[in-house]
Amino acid sequence: MKVSVVTRSGRELVKGGLELNGSATVADLQEAIHKRTKRYYPSRQRLTLPLPPGSKERPTVLNYKKSLNDYADGKELTVVFKDLGTQVKYSTLFFWEYLGPLVLYPIFYYSPIYKFFGYKEERVIHPAQTYALYCWCFHYFKRIMETFFVHRFSHATSPLSNVFRNCAYYWTFGAWIAYYVNHPLYTPVGDLQMKIGFALSLLCQISNFYCHILLRNLRSSEGGGYQIPRGFLFNIVTCANYTTEIYQWLGFNIATQTLAGYVFMVVAAAIMTNWALAKHRRLKKLFDGKDGRPKYPRRWVILPPFL
Amino acid sequence: MAGIFSSVRRIYLTVYNWTVFFGWLQVFYITVTTLQQSGHQSVYAAVEKPLILAQSAALLEILHSLVGIVRSPVTATLPQVASRLYVTWGILYSFPEIRTHFFVASLMISWSITEIIRYSFFGFKEAAGFAPSWLLWLRYSTFLILYPTGITSEVGLIYNALPYLKETGKYSIRMPNALNFSFDYYYSALLVLAFYVPGSPHLYGYMLGQRKKALSKPKSA
């Protein structure tokens, strides 16, 4: 089969096109493009079918597992190439995101950093600040461990630019919250409120871990594709993993009571709500109850009892 | 229905643009006459009311972008309007010590000429559907000089106000408090100044691009 590879501006990327045999898959095509262009390894490539000029529709993205015959009607095929930029593994992205808060937070707790902000006198450390340190570090340590040993990623790689964007987000928020919780003029909440807060945080972190285990098993039971999440809190909420994450931060904030912490929680909840709405919509569309497909059950999206 | 909506939109934007146009015309006129009669120290006191009204009316521009009745994206409108409001309310209005500075006069001249041209340009476009070509040229050329003078005046005023920000502690929140939060207006001003460093050349480059697009159109058509 003759395959022409063009860029989005219509330039021919591989001069003279590529000749592949009839049983070749999209992955084979990507390998062939890599061989000829040298710099564009498969995960950097996004291949789509060309759209008629002026069309506003989204182009069909070629699935690397499928055969080229699924996309071509005859002996020729034209694909549109887009360079996605330098790619990194998802686990690399997550590791660097979470390492920042894990390292920065203890610096505020242990080091005499507040002397540089003009607070000369000795700091008296409240119990709430010590528990907060354990709670925070456990949270990010857990996330890193889950990244390497629990999560199965639906996409193998992410653009390198996301590493900088996400690290800026996590590291700045982490340092900002740590600054207030460990501040020499920090005002702790009452004993009961602190205990309730940390208990909620711990409970949610354990539940969150269990949610991640369930999601992992969902992916492993069948080779890829979407499935209806079931079991534990997933029987009530589509994205129980986000629910427990949000309530975890609520617990941390009840116990430590900083405005910065609440701001972070609201921003994080907004981002996760976006993802959750998309996932919920996708699952409902996929499992519509027609032609023998199961019907997606009625569930909360992310934040019972609100959404 | 679509027809009614689009005519209401046009009437509204025409009124809006010409109203704000007259506000800036007043700012320009008062600035010039005050400069002639009593010098730059008196400029702020004379222009305060029309300045605050005309500049605060720009808040509606953010709303226009958000609602989608104008084409410019909110990401372009927001930083421009926000920096202007910051200088107007956050510096000039809040710190009377800075109001007699020479930069107030150069700022008023730069802002008012830019805005007189800009609002009349959009006023023409909304009312008549087109703008005279000389106005188009002015709209995309005066910024070449008025942006640098305007931005220099803005930065100069913020910089010169810094000692007063620090001294008075105005708008700053100190710990300890129940929310475990603090805010330092002085350091925020330093942060704002830092944003001008990449922001100004970016905006200038953006306008150069707009100029190229707007002034080269007749040739390609």
Side-chain angles (χ1 to χ4, degrees):
Chain A
M1 182 186 296
K2 181 153 167 23
V3 184
S4 340
V5 185
V6 294
T7 62
R8 283 179 303 161
S9 55
R11 190 174 57 85
E12 198 178 32
L13 183 79
V14 181
K15 291 273 173 297
L18 289 160
E19 192 60 50
L20 286 117
N21 67 42
S23 61
T25 61
V26 174
D28 295 332
L29 171 62
Q30 289 183 323
E31 280 300 336
I33 293 173
H34 181 207
K35 224 171 173 180
R36 288 285 296 274
T37 57
K38 302 285 189 273
R39 48 186 293 220
Y40 303 125
Y41 41 87
S43 59
R44 252 185 105 144
Q45 305 174 15
R46 191 187 75 144
L47 301 177
T48 54
L49 292 178
L51 285 174
S55 169
K56 288 259 188 308
E57 278 174 60
R58 277 162 176 255
T60 314
V61 180
L62 271 57
N63 182 340
Y64 74 99
K65 282 182 196 156
K66 285 197 174 174
S67 160
L68 287 179
N69 279 325
D70 297 341
Y71 296 105
D73 344 310
K75 292 216 170 302
E76 278 184 49
L77 176 66
T78 303
V79 295
V80 180
F81 168 91
K82 185 190 175 192
D83 176 19
L84 296 174
T86 311
Q87 300 287 305
V88 296
K89 275 186 173 170
Y90 254 91
S91 52
T92 314
L93 168 73
F94 280 19
F95 173 74
W96 288 106
E97 274 175 26
Y98 303 152
L99 188 69
L102 184 60
V103 171
L104 290 172
Y105 194 99
I107 292 177
F108 284 90
Y109 181 87
Y110 286 109
S111 81
I113 194 168
Y114 291 96
K115 292 223 157 68
F116 299 106
F117 293 112
Y119 299 94
K120 300 289 178 214
E121 61 278 23
E122 271 309 301
R123 239 172 96 206
V124 182
I125 293 177
H126 302 278
Q129 293 174 308
T130 306
Y131 295 136
L133 171 81
Y134 297 149
C135 184
W136 181 281
C137 290
F138 174 70
H139 178 77
Y140 281 101
F141 176 75
K142 164 180 164 292
R143 279 198 184 191
I144 291 178
M145 288 298 118
E146 284 173 339
T147 300
F148 289 119
F149 303 113
V150 181
H151 293 325
R152 284 172 201 267
F153 298 101
S154 56
H155 294 279
T157 65
S158 147
L160 180 66
S161 57
N162 282 359
V163 176
F164 299 108
R165 187 195 62 189
N166 294 13
C167 284
Y169 169 78
Y170 275 104
W171 297 28
T172 324
F173 259 121
W176 195 47
I177 296 168
Y179 173 83
Y180 291 116
V181 180
N182 297 297
H183 200 281
L185 300 176
Y186 173 77
T187 311
V189 298
D191 196 53
L192 179 67
Q193 185 181 336
M194 178 187 81
K195 281 175 182 159
I196 291 172
F198 283 128
L200 175 64
S201 169
L202 191 65
L203 182 71
C204 288
Q205 293 202 51
I206 294 165
S207 313
N208 180 264
F209 178 68
Y210 188 55
C211 286
H212 284 149
I213 299 274
L214 287 175
L215 285 179
R216 174 200 171 85
N217 293 340
L218 209 62
R219 280 243 162 88
S220 65
S221 59
E222 209 170 296
Y226 289 103
Q227 312 215 5
I228 299 179
R230 281 182 211 284
F232 189 44
L233 296 172
F234 286 111
N235 290 336
I236 312 163
V237 200
T238 300
C239 292
N241 47 328
Y242 298 155
T243 313
T244 45
E245 178 71 18
I246 294 169
Y247 283 115
Q248 187 284 126
W249 284 118
L250 182 65
F252 182 86
N253 287 331
I254 288 173
T256 55
Q257 192 159 305
T258 64
L259 184 64
Y262 279 106
V263 171
F264 178 60
M265 184 184 80
V266 170
V267 173
I271 295 171
M272 286 188 276
T273 303
N274 257 336
W275 294 339
L277 285 170
K279 184 172 180 184
H280 193 77
R281 225 174 281 137
R282 206 161 49 217
L283 287 168
K284 270 176 91 165
K285 201 174 148 196
L286 215 56
F287 301 104
D288 51 8
K290 289 173 197 154
D291 304 326
R293 285 185 293 268
K295 181 147 176 62
Y296 194 70
R298 216 179 118 78
R299 276 173 195 173
W300 294 102
V301 180
I302 177 167
L303 256 191
F306 308 108
L307 184 71
Chain B
M1 282 308 278
I4 295 172
F5 173 76
S6 93
S7 21
V8 168
R9 186 198 77 102
R10 256 180 89 170
I11 293 166
Y12 165 72
L13 284 177
T14 305
V15 172
Y16 169 79
N17 282 303
W18 286 111
T19 310
V20 187
F21 164 83
F22 279 109
W24 284 110
L25 195 65
Q26 208 181 347
V27 171
F28 178 72
Y29 177 77
I30 296 172
T31 305
V32 173
T33 49
T34 312
L35 273 175
Q36 279 171 344
Q37 286 161 9
S38 42
H40 67 82
Q41 291 88 344
S42 326
V43 167
Y44 182 83
V47 298
E48 181 172 45
K49 266 197 190 126
L51 166 71
I52 281 178
L53 273 172
Q55 189 50 61
S56 304
L59 269 175
L60 287 170
E61 264 167 65
I62 298 174
L63 199 71
H64 297 161
S65 281
L66 280 176
V67 180
I69 56 171
V70 296
R71 273 192 308 170
S72 54
V74 74
T75 46
T77 319
L78 189 67
Q80 291 178 39
V81 175
S83 67
R84 291 282 201 91
L85 288 171
Y86 174 70
V87 173
T88 308
W89 284 103
I91 300 292
L92 287 174
Y93 179 81
S94 305
F95 296 91
E97 298 90 340
I98 201 69
R99 292 175 184 174
T100 50
H101 200 280
F102 164 76
F103 276 135
V104 177
S106 56
L107 184 71
M108 287 310 109
I109 299 281
S110 311
W111 280 6
S112 59
I113 298 177
T114 304
E115 299 299 47
I116 286 168
I117 294 167
R118 201 167 68 93
Y119 283 109
S120 57
F121 174 76
F122 286 119
F124 264 112
K125 275 189 105 171
E126 292 302 340
F130 72 98
S133 59
W134 55 269
L135 195 55
L136 179 83
W137 187 86
L138 282 177
R139 158 90 179 100
Y140 290 106
S141 304
T142 48
F143 79 88
L144 290 169
I145 293 165
L146 294 176
Y147 262 36
T149 56
I151 288 170
T152 308
S153 313
E154 290 175 32
V155 170
L157 284 171
I158 300 171
Y159 180 79
N160 281 294
L162 285 176
Y164 307 114
L165 267 63
K166 196 169 192 176
E167 209 173 274
T168 58
K170 202 171 181 180
Y171 304 136
S172 293
I173 300 166
R174 306 250 174 265
M175 282 177 91
N177 54 55
L179 272 179
N180 287 305
F181 183 69
S182 63
F183 176 74
D184 197 304
Y185 198 60
Y186 170 74
Y187 285 108
S188 314
L190 292 182
L191 202 65
V192 171
L193 285 177
F195 273 116
Y196 271 93
V197 176
S200 312
H202 174 78
L203 195 61
Y204 202 70
Y206 172 78
M207 282 305 289
L208 281 176
Q210 295 283 89
R211 174 186 157 85
K212 211 173 158 187
K213 237 174 22 191
L215 299 186
S216 67
K217 239 177 202 164
K219 279 177 217 156
S220 63

